[in-house]
């Protein structure tokens, strides 16, 4: 029995065939963000580099805004060969391998730079290597970013300020546990439903990186943005293991090198745009609350129990290796 998402996916795939008639190889890439988001624009760079580098032998087609279905279904599509590539948040892979849950634990990294360095370390490479057990090849890391809380109830400066706030979260157990521990009422919800739920008052708030708060225009329906920086989230671009093996060694290297270049390009976009995005949110009349390091430390201390609890879920070996890598990049 095929679901609606599978049928929609099949329709998109069939429509793409004629456009790819002159290319020897087609790589369809699905993701959940919209076309303004920096991750999508980084994937356009990937498309440009792969098509140019292959002399037109590879046609890359990108489908944003969950056109290929929700993230889990896109991953399953890549595993079964219906879709060549997907770019979901790292947390979704924990459904197959609990080790991936360590990446998005609350206050795991004291800064974005430390998070990025951890991903690019040998430990980060080893984590990507685990995707082979899921029938996938991990092509690297693309930033989603530090997540911050927005809401219509009150400014958030302490954990107590979250008391009773109905907050949309991703369908990630560690995220739900984090906000339960902080006293909020976490409400998992598909990303595409968030704006209307905020607009209608179904939920009080949500949490996402600044670039998504901007590109999804959440600031239009929120009064407060608090820069809690509670979780650093990252996307993992994955390609079908069987499909990747079918490529020539030259094209395999081209795909990997193009994704590395796209990741570097994404960092240029993020670093060049975030301050302007935050000012745009302020100009819209939203109260932006900046937390001091001491105030963030209170949140980190409050969520220590969540990190400790997930050592068992993740597995002691994988958890300890990741924490050691973070400590090494932190110089501690």
């Amino acid at each position: 029995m095929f679901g609606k998402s599978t049928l929609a996916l099949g329709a998109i795939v069939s429509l793409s065939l004629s456009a790819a008639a002159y290319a020897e190889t087609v790589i369809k890439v699905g993701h959940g963000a919209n076309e303004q988001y920096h991750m999508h624009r980084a994937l356009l760079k990937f498309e440009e580099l792969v098509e140019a580098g292959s002399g037109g032998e590879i046609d890359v087609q990108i489908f944003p805004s969950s056109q290929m279905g929700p993230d889990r279904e896109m991953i399953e599509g890549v595993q079964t060969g219906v879709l060549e590539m997907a770019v979901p948040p790292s947390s979704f892979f924990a459904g197959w391998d609990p080790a991936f849950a360590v990446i998005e634990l609350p206050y795991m990294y004291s800064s974005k730079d430390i998070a990025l360095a951890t991903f690019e370390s040998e430990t980060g490479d080893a984590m990507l290597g685990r995707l082979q057990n899921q029938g996938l090849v991990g092509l690297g890391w693309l930033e989603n970013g530090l997540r911050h809380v927005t809401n219509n109830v009150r400014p958030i400066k302490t954990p107590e300020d979250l008391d009773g706030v109905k907050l949309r979260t991703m369908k990630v157990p560690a995220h739900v546990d984090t906000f339960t521990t902080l006293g909020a009422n976490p409400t998992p919800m598909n990303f595409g439903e968030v704006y209307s739920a905020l607009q209608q008052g179904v939920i009080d708030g949500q949490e996402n990186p600044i670039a998504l708060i901007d590109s999804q225009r959440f600031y239009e329906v929120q009064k407060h943005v608090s820069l809690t920086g509670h979780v650093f989230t990252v996307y993992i671009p994955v390609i079908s293991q069987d499909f990747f093996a079918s490529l020539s060694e030259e094209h395999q290297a081209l795909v990997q090198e193009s994704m590395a270049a796209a990741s570097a390009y994404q960092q240029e976009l993020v670093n060049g745009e975030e301050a302007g995005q935050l000012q745009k949110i302020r100009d819209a009349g939203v109260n932006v609350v900046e937390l001091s390091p001491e105030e963030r430390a209170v949140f980190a201390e409050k969520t220590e129990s969540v990190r400790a609890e997930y050592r068992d879920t993740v597995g002691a070996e994988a958890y300890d290796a990741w924490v050691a890598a973070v400590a090494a990049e932190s110089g501690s």
Side-chain angles (χ1 to χ4, degrees):
M1 179 70 73
F2 293 101
K4 291 181 180 178
S5 294
T6 304
L7 293 173
L9 179 62
I12 292 172
V13 170
S14 63
L15 286 171
S16 70
L17 292 178
S18 59
Y22 299 106
E24 292 183 11
T25 303
V26 178
I27 302 178
K28 297 177 294 296
V29 186
H31 70 83
N34 68 24
E35 295 177 54
Q36 286 72 50
Y37 195 47
H38 51 65
M39 184 264 281
H40 176 78
R41 288 180 284 151
L43 290 174
L44 292 178
K45 174 65 71 174
F46 170 77
E47 175 184 7
E48 173 191 326
L49 293 171
V50 170
E51 291 182 349
S54 68
E57 292 180 12
I58 299 177
D59 176 37
V60 177
Q61 302 173 3
I62 302 171
F63 298 90
S65 302
S66 300
Q67 292 179 52
M68 292 293 195
D71 287 296
R72 184 178 177 88
E73 290 186 24
M74 282 192 282
I75 295 171
E76 291 170 346
V78 176
Q79 289 171 326
T80 58
V82 177
L83 180 64
E84 286 77 31
M85 279 184 63
V87 191
S90 66
S91 53
F92 280 87
F93 298 103
W96 289 271
D97 181 350
F100 283 85
V102 74
I103 296 170
E104 294 187 11
L105 290 179
Y107 295 99
M108 175 60 72
Y109 320 98
S110 58
S111 73
K112 168 184 163 175
D113 288 344
I114 289 170
L116 294 177
T118 302
F119 301 143
E120 298 299 332
S121 69
E122 289 184 7
T123 304
D125 291 342
M127 186 68 78
L128 291 179
R130 298 177 74 109
L131 290 165
Q132 294 179 20
N133 298 324
Q134 301 179 29
L136 305 168
V137 175
L139 296 177
W141 311 85
L142 290 173
E143 177 173 340
N144 190 3
L146 277 170
R147 302 178 78 85
H148 307 290
V149 172
T150 75
N151 84 104
N152 284 326
V153 179
R154 65 181 74 91
I156 307 300
K157 295 204 73 171
T158 70
E160 290 74 24
D161 293 330
L162 280 166
D163 188 36
V165 175
K166 191 171 184 180
L167 196 73
R168 180 269 176 180
T169 68
M170 293 171 65
K171 296 179 180 179
V172 177
H175 293 196
V176 174
D177 291 344
T178 294
F179 284 104
T180 298
T181 299
L182 291 171
N185 179 11
T187 307
M189 181 182 294
N190 286 333
F191 187 61
E193 302 169 10
V194 177
Y195 186 96
S196 60
L198 292 169
Q199 190 175 43
Q200 297 165 16
V202 174
I203 50 176
D204 299 317
Q206 61 85 53
E207 46 86 46
N208 260 301
I210 292 298
L212 275 178
I213 295 169
D214 172 52
S215 66
Q216 298 297 133
R217 306 178 73 87
F218 292 147
Y219 59 85
E220 294 179 341
V221 287
Q222 295 281 262
K223 296 177 182 176
H224 308 285
V225 174
S226 298
L227 304 183
T228 49
H230 48 276
V231 170
F232 188 89
T233 47
V234 63
Y235 297 100
I236 302 181
V238 291
I239 190 167
S240 162
Q241 198 172 66
D242 289 343
F243 174 77
F244 190 72
S246 75
L247 299 176
S248 67
E249 288 187 7
E250 179 185 359
H251 283 171
Q252 287 180 357
L254 174 64
V255 166
Q256 291 173 315
E257 291 164 5
S258 297
M259 187 58 72
S263 179
Y265 175 66
Q266 184 194 30
Q267 286 305 305
E268 293 177 14
L269 294 176
V270 174
N271 295 334
E273 295 174 357
E274 188 164 285
Q277 290 163 345
L278 200 53
Q279 188 58 49
K280 179 180 175 182
I281 291 168
R282 286 191 174 98
D283 292 344
V286 178
N287 175 33
V288 176
V289 180
E290 298 193 38
L291 275 64
S292 68
E294 293 76 19
E295 288 169 329
R296 280 194 297 274
V298 175
F299 283 87
E301 183 177 352
K302 184 82 171 178
T303 55
E304 184 177 356
S305 61
V306 178
R307 294 189 295 279
E309 174 190 343
Y310 272 82
R311 185 173 185 268
D312 290 337
T313 302
V314 168
E317 183 177 351
Y319 181 94
D320 291 347
W322 196 262
V323 169
V326 173
E329 300 301 337
S330 305
S332 58

